[in-house]
Amino acid sequence: LILGTVPDHVNSTSRIVSEDNIRFLFEVQKKVDAIRANYSGLMVSLQDICMKPLDKDCATQSILQYFKMDPNNFDNYGGVEHLNYCFE
């Protein structure tokens, strides 16, 4: 679990949901998806060991699901404003 806050000097608060943080999370997710490990001579990945209740896709609980885990959708769906709308 990675959380980060960004100071909001206008409102004297900190917030987790920012464009930089969401883009950073897409990069972290890409690295997690690329992890491979040797298990008894076989190379395995998250796709090999994750829970797949709907057959082929890993069950992921992530803010990135609002964008179907696709960074291109972040801009196409309205970016941070889309998240703020969903969270309301």
Side-chain angles (χ1 to χ4, degrees), residues 6-13:
V6 177
D8 182 345
H9 299 292
V10 174
N11 297 314
S12 299
T13 62

Side-chain angles (χ1 to χ4, degrees), residues 17-86:
V17 179
S18 72
E19 183 170 339
D20 288 341
N21 281 355
I22 301 304
R23 292 193 188 281
F24 174 70
L25 287 176
F26 276 114
E27 289 302 313
V28 170
Q29 186 65 51
K30 186 162 75 171
K31 289 177 182 180
V32 168
D33 290 343
I35 293 173
R36 302 290 183 264
N38 185 324
Y39 178 74
S40 299
L42 297 172
M43 293 304 289
V44 296
S45 69
L46 179 61
Q47 287 292 320
D48 298 316
I49 62 171
C50 70
M51 183 176 74
K52 298 177 183 177
L54 300 176
D55 191 30
K56 65 178 184 163
D57 294 324
C58 292
T60 304
Q61 294 294 319
S62 173
I63 193 172
L64 303 179
Q65 286 299 105
Y66 283 102
F67 306 103
K68 300 180 182 179
M69 304 297 284
D70 184 343
N72 293 323
N73 290 335
F74 179 69
D75 293 322
N76 295 339
Y77 291 5
V80 172
E81 290 78 22
H82 176 74
L83 287 176
N84 289 331
Y85 174 79
C86 291

